[in-house]
Amino acid sequence: MAYFDAASAAPLHPVARQALLASLDEGWADPARLYREGRRARLLLDAAREAAAEAVGCRADELVFTPSGTRAVHSGVAGALAGRRRVGRHLIVSAVEHSSVLHAAEELERDGGTVTRVPVDRAGAVDAGVFAAALGDGTALACLQSANHEVGTEQPVTEAAEACRAAGVPLLVDAAQSLGWGKVPGGWSLLTASAHKWGGPSGVGLLVVRKGVRFAPQGAADERESGRAPGFENLPAIVAAAASLRAVRAEAAQEAARLRELTERIRARVPGLVPDVEVVGDPVRRLPGIVTFSCLYVDGEALLHELDRAGFSVSSGSSCTSSTLTPSHVLKAMGVLTEGNVRVSLPPGTPGEDVERFLEVLPGAVAAVRERLGAPAAAESAPETGADLVVDTLGRRCPIPVIELAKVIGDVPVGGTVRVLSDDEAARLDIPAWCEMRGQEYVGEEPAERGTAFLVRRSG
Amino acid sequence: MAYFDAASAAPLHPVARQALLASLDEGWADPARLYREGRRARLLLDAAREAAAEAVGCRADELVFTPSGTRAVHSGVAGALAGRRRVGRHLIVSAVEHSSVLHAAEELERDGGTVTRVPVDRAGAVDAGVFAAALGDGTALACLQSANHEVGTEQPVTEAAEACRAAGVPLLVDAAQSLGWGKVPGGWSLLTASAHKWGGPSGVGLLVVRKGVRFAPQGAADERESGRAPGFENLPAIVAAAASLRAVRAEAAQEAARLRELTERIRARVPGLVPDVEVVGDPVRRLPGIVTFSCLYVDGEALLHELDRAGFSVSSGSSCTSSTLTPSHVLKAMGVLTEGNVRVSLPPGTPGEDVERFLEVLPGAVAAVRERLGAPAAAESAPETGADLVVDTLGRRCPIPVIELAKVIGDVPVGGTVRVLSDDEAARLDIPAWCEMRGQEYVGEEPAERGTAFLVRRSG
């Protein structure tokens, strides 16, 4: 058994477990009360806040605990927007933010505001200049993650913060994926994080609002957590979150180097072990523990199940693994292949042998899925036959359209075209991505009688 | 040491602790994931939802878990109001709801809606007829607690639900104080509760929305918890909450009888043990574990500290124990004495000896505070001297104005008046309450050069 999905939720750190148990006995009372149990709870809460603030690099009175990272983002975005409502109602986000940021942005749009989604390059990073160029007179807030949760790519937060500062616009940094590894540098104004991403318990998020940042909490409130996070504090979990953040930080430098070496092995060796693979995300400016790749002609859900049977828990941004049957917005924004997508995110402490075993198992798992789907063999080359071809994949889902395209591309002469009819959302992303990987020319798409026709010209 | 503040937060039930520990190992993964850890988490979440729904008396798909009771109320009220926005923007609440309900009501008012706060009688109960009479054409929602959190009085929820049903208005019942004791009967539409009130962990609330009730979740959302409670589920706490709810229910009938006898002892004996005490709340229609009384001429905070030193943790609705220095809105709405207020709320399992010891300690604690404040001895009767008197207590706080009034009332002849000058908010409540307790005539108040003049006529 190897759990390789730390970017979703990390298993509880031993220090978190210990702190949680201890504070179940000491920290269940209401910290607002005057009697001994309440005073003890208040001391624990204050100490946890101090510890978390120190790890973030902020003042204790700038930090509140929320019930989750998602709630921290929702409250942080809404409060910052409301605080600068008079300035304007324009929000900037990167196209690859966590869904909680994007949901908050959609909420603003429903309410009449406007949102700029800054595109990313093929590695998943925004260009700091493009980000800065989006800042305008009516911009109330900008949001940029410290590092991406699906591909690990780090964002140019320091440069973005400088541009925001120059424009007088607050920058909210979603540090959910990186806070366990270190402080977020630079002059950000708001910061959010989630304890269960660093090995703390679920039920705890952090919202930091720097002194001087205009902030107007939205929705019903109470007197707890500076009026920014209503409801009885989940104290045992808060104590465990703060204690485990200190603990993972103490181990961070050493563990980062170790995990980086392990993910580098996967990055380097998967393309040799598995034919037709695209490794995505920035190879250098990235988180230590995340590596993501997509396998042509593979159904992501089927591959996840193959790997699960072999004892590996990973996640996927492929459309077939999503409840909405749309591919990951991150892979989509990057313009990379979305089919057969696998994200490996190693929890601290992952032994090297587990990674080696994964590399042993992966080729067979991919091959098994491809065989079931009737995918073309790698570098298969059929004799050249007719002229232009039409392939009807209507009603069939990812990765079938790409598989059918690959099967027939050799049947048209160089310069000839294949017209793929498809009504699958993923085809729009994966056919161009396949062309790029295969050196074929993607001509474009046009509406068909049913679905969409995707045109590919054979280049070689 | 005896903790008598279960209505704020109950100590963790042993079953909750056990379930929490077990699910720290089994339930930390994302229940939305397809691999084994995710599937196990999903099974735990589904089982917890089934168990909680059975205890509430609803379908599992009507119940979602929120991060606290407060969040359940905020989301429930906002979603129900938005769902019926076309009907109108009028909300009905009782005047003695939990602050989370009142905060949600204030939020509606800030947003242009209207709120009717239904008054209560001296025992703290709304009249079902008065509640029903508040229902109008534009009423979007009505809220009524199952039982009051400060005085234990039960509300006529069944009758209110009938009236609401007849008017086609949904009723939200805040069952935070009562759910551990039993199901809320009657045809309510929405229900909220909080796990740490029944001995579950903090970090878990319940929001139930009956099928067919119009409901539009407000704010940014995600795909979790039917779109009604965004953010990663706090699964170990949810499992512990559901398990402990079943456990406390199994013990509820027996424990309710036992605690009712213990609180009845306090209700019956305190007036004999401590002079000048008013026991408040309904003597019969009440929660088993709560008993509340107010002591004339006593500073609530000082009394809490006296009791804390003697080993008893209780809470108080007196103004001096509140961060805003205003008396409890519940005591205020009831029109009872707010000074020297003590709420005893016994956790299940409280031994009878602890209550006996409390009754031994209480008279001395009250006497010590009174002595320090220079309060008049009980039934003190000074010789009748002059005519009308003015007592200046400007700048002095509860309970001093009442103490000064009591000291001089015997100095005016029957039919003569005492004019108490005060700028303390609590005096407005406590001077009339004192008159009622003492059989003196409260004439009324009028603005004075500074503060307010409260007029009392000596009746005997």
Side-chain angles (χ1 to χ4, degrees):
Chain A
M1 300 306 143
Y3 177 79
F4 282 1
D5 196 23
S8 285
L12 207 59
H13 191 283
V15 167
R17 191 189 170 87
Q18 210 177 347
L20 186 63
L21 293 193
S23 54
L24 285 180
D25 297 326
E26 298 289 317
W28 51 268
D30 186 345
R33 298 291 177 188
L34 303 171
Y35 42 71
R36 73 195 65 208
E37 294 88 349
R39 295 194 304 266
R40 210 159 54 197
R42 166 63 54 191
L43 288 176
L44 287 174
L45 180 58
D46 289 347
R49 197 185 313 280
E50 290 285 349
E54 198 197 321
V56 168
C58 68
R59 292 166 40 161
D61 60 357
E62 295 174 330
L63 182 149
V64 301
F65 295 105
T66 66
S68 65
T70 292
R71 301 267 180 165
V73 166
H74 291 176
S75 302
V77 171
L81 287 172
R84 284 174 50 88
R85 202 184 159 119
R86 261 177 269 173
V87 172
R89 308 202 65 207
H90 175 234
L91 172 68
I92 299 170
V93 299
S94 89
V96 296
E97 294 297 308
H98 185 263
S99 57
S100 57
V101 175
L102 299 180
H103 290 147
E106 288 158 19
E107 181 67 13
L108 174 67
E109 286 178 322
R110 271 193 294 277
D111 197 32
T114 58
V115 176
T116 300
R117 291 169 180 82
V118 178
V120 294
D121 61 20
R122 209 170 159 84
V126 301
D127 179 279
V130 176
F131 195 87
L135 292 159
D137 279 349
T139 305
L141 177 68
C143 299
L144 185 60
Q145 61 194 186
S146 53
N148 187 266
H149 51 297
E150 288 192 34
V151 298
T153 301
E154 291 174 348
Q155 304 292 353
V157 167
T158 305
E159 296 84 337
E162 271 165 29
C164 286
R165 174 160 296 199
V169 172
L171 177 71
L172 181 150
V173 176
D174 169 16
Q177 290 297 333
S178 75
L179 196 66
W181 297 113
K183 288 179 187 174
V184 176
W188 48 266
S189 298
L190 301 100
L191 181 143
T192 58
S194 172
H196 76 118
K197 306 286 190 192
W198 71 63
S202 50
V204 183
L206 305 183
L207 169 60
V208 181
V209 183
R210 290 275 196 208
K211 285 286 154 206
V213 173
R214 284 183 179 278
F215 193 85
Q218 295 302 287
D222 63 17
E223 75 290 357
R224 296 182 192 270
E225 294 299 296
S226 309
R228 292 176 182 169
F232 193 85
E233 290 93 348
N234 185 354
L235 196 47
I238 286 171
V239 170
S244 55
L245 182 53
R246 284 171 85 115
V248 298
R249 279 291 186 79
E251 305 152 356
Q254 199 181 345
E255 192 60 20
R258 213 178 61 78
L259 290 189
R260 186 171 289 276
E261 192 276 317
L262 293 180
T263 48
E264 193 50 48
R265 272 193 228 175
I266 299 176
R267 286 193 76 86
R269 285 166 55 192
V270 161
L273 291 168
V274 179
D276 299 326
V277 156
E278 182 176 16
V279 180
V280 300
D282 196 293
V284 180
R285 289 194 51 153
R286 63 179 180 89
L287 291 170
I290 298 186
V291 53
T292 304
F293 52 87
S294 297
C295 308
L296 260 182
Y297 319 137
V298 166
D299 169 335
E301 183 171 355
L303 182 55
L304 251 54
H305 284 307
E306 274 307 319
L307 290 171
D308 182 45
R309 269 194 290 276
F312 293 95
S313 301
V314 300
S315 80
S316 168
S318 295
S319 55
C320 48
T321 64
S322 129
S323 59
T324 56
L325 295 175
T326 52
S328 140
H329 70 275
V330 173
L331 302 177
K332 203 165 154 177
M334 292 165 68
V336 296
L337 188 71
T338 74
E339 66 186 36
N341 180 257
V342 170
R343 174 184 69 184
V344 170
S345 55
L346 307 177
T350 301
E353 307 89 78
D354 283 3
V355 170
E356 285 303 319
R357 205 159 50 80
F358 177 74
L359 289 170
E360 278 165 32
V361 159
L362 181 68
V366 172
V369 175
R370 283 179 175 163
E371 196 185 328
R372 278 207 299 281
L373 292 170
E380 182 175 295
S381 146
E384 292 181 12
T385 53
D388 298 352
L389 274 176
V390 174
V391 179
D392 181 351
T393 66
L394 289 166
R396 310 201 61 193
R397 299 262 305 289
C398 157
I400 298 300
V402 172
I403 288 178
E404 295 302 318
L405 166 61
K407 278 183 182 164
V408 303
I409 190 73
D411 297 348
V412 299
V414 172
T417 59
V418 178
R419 188 178 164 86
V420 185
L421 298 175
S422 170
D423 48 11
D424 179 40
E425 167 73 13
R428 174 162 294 121
L429 306 165
D430 289 342
I431 290 175
W434 178 87
C435 291
E436 178 136 349
M437 289 174 75
R438 276 286 175 272
Q440 306 293 353
E441 184 192 347
Y442 179 65
V443 181
E445 64 169 78
E446 57 191 33
E449 200 177 340
R450 275 180 58 212
T452 303
F454 299 93
L455 263 80
V456 176
R457 180 168 294 122
R458 184 173 171 192
S459 302
Chain B
M1 300 304 146
Y3 177 78
F4 282 0
D5 195 22
S8 284
L12 206 60
H13 192 282
V15 167
R17 192 188 170 87
Q18 208 176 348
L20 186 63
L21 292 193
S23 53
L24 285 180
D25 298 325
E26 298 288 318
W28 51 267
D30 185 345
R33 298 291 177 190
L34 303 171
Y35 42 71
R36 75 196 62 211
E37 294 87 350
R39 295 193 305 267
R40 210 159 54 197
R42 166 63 53 190
L43 287 176
L44 286 173
L45 180 58
D46 290 347
R49 197 185 313 279
E50 289 285 347
E54 197 196 321
V56 168
C58 68
R59 292 166 40 160
D61 60 358
E62 295 174 330
L63 181 149
V64 301
F65 295 105
T66 66
S68 64
T70 292
R71 301 266 180 165
V73 166
H74 291 175
S75 301
V77 171
L81 287 172
R84 284 174 49 90
R85 201 182 160 122
R86 259 178 270 173
V87 172
R89 308 203 65 205
H90 174 234
L91 171 68
I92 300 170
V93 298
S94 89
V96 295
E97 294 297 309
H98 186 262
S99 57
S100 58
V101 175
L102 299 181
H103 290 147
E106 287 157 19
E107 182 66 14
L108 174 67
E109 286 177 322
R110 271 193 295 276
D111 197 32
T114 56
V115 177
T116 301
R117 292 170 178 81
V118 178
V120 295
D121 61 21
R122 210 172 158 83
V126 301
D127 179 280
V130 176
F131 195 86
L135 291 160
D137 280 346
T139 305
L141 178 69
C143 299
L144 184 60
Q145 63 194 183
S146 54
N148 186 266
H149 50 296
E150 288 192 33
V151 299
T153 300
E154 291 174 346
Q155 303 293 352
V157 167
T158 304
E159 297 83 336
E162 272 166 28
C164 285
R165 174 159 295 200
V169 172
L171 177 70
L172 182 150
V173 176
D174 169 15
Q177 290 296 332
S178 75
L179 197 67
W181 297 113
K183 290 179 187 174
V184 176
W188 47 266
S189 298
L190 300 100
L191 180 142
T192 58
S194 172
H196 76 119
K197 305 288 191 191
W198 70 63
S202 50
V204 183
L206 305 182
L207 169 60
V208 181
V209 183
R210 291 274 197 208
K211 286 285 155 207
V213 173
R214 283 182 180 279
F215 192 84
Q218 295 301 286
D222 63 16
E223 74 289 357
R224 297 182 191 271
E225 296 299 296
S226 309
R228 291 174 182 170
F232 194 85
E233 292 93 346
N234 186 354
L235 196 47
I238 286 171
V239 170
S244 55
L245 182 53
R246 284 171 86 115
V248 299
R249 279 292 185 78
E251 305 153 356
Q254 200 180 344
E255 193 59 20
R258 212 179 60 79
L259 290 189
R260 186 173 289 276
E261 192 275 319
L262 292 180
T263 48
E264 193 51 47
R265 274 194 226 173
I266 298 176
R267 287 193 75 86
R269 284 165 55 193
V270 160
L273 291 167
V274 179
D276 298 326
V277 156
E278 181 177 16
V279 180
V280 301
D282 195 294
V284 180
R285 290 194 50 152
R286 64 179 180 89
L287 291 171
I290 298 184
V291 53
T292 304
F293 52 87
S294 297
C295 309
L296 259 182
Y297 319 137
V298 166
D299 169 336
E301 184 171 355
L303 181 55
L304 251 53
H305 286 305
E306 274 306 321
L307 289 171
D308 182 45
R309 269 195 289 277
F312 293 94
S313 300
V314 299
S315 80
S316 168
S318 295
S319 55
C320 48
T321 64
S322 132
S323 58
T324 55
L325 296 175
T326 52
S328 140
H329 69 275
V330 173
L331 301 177
K332 201 166 155 177
M334 291 164 67
V336 298
L337 188 71
T338 75
E339 68 186 34
N341 180 258
V342 170
R343 174 184 70 184
V344 170
S345 54
L346 306 178
T350 301
E353 307 88 79
D354 283 3
V355 170
E356 285 304 319
R357 205 160 48 81
F358 176 76
L359 290 170
E360 278 165 32
V361 159
L362 182 68
V366 173
V369 175
R370 284 178 175 163
E371 196 184 329
R372 278 207 299 281
L373 292 170
E380 183 175 293
S381 147
E384 294 182 10
T385 52
D388 298 351
L389 272 176
V390 174
V391 180
D392 181 351
T393 68
L394 289 166
R396 311 202 60 194
R397 300 263 302 290
C398 158
I400 299 300
V402 172
I403 289 179
E404 295 304 318
L405 165 60
K407 279 183 179 164
V408 302
I409 190 74
D411 296 349
V412 298
V414 171
T417 60
V418 178
R419 187 178 165 87
V420 185
L421 297 176
S422 170
D423 48 11
D424 179 39
E425 167 72 12
R428 175 161 293 120
L429 306 165
D430 288 341
I431 290 175
W434 177 88
C435 292
E436 178 135 351
M437 289 173 74
R438 276 288 175 272
Q440 305 295 353
E441 184 191 347
Y442 179 65
V443 180
E445 64 169 77
E446 58 192 33
E449 200 177 339
R450 276 179 59 213
T452 304
F454 299 92
L455 263 81
V456 176
R457 180 169 294 121
R458 182 173 173 191
S459 302

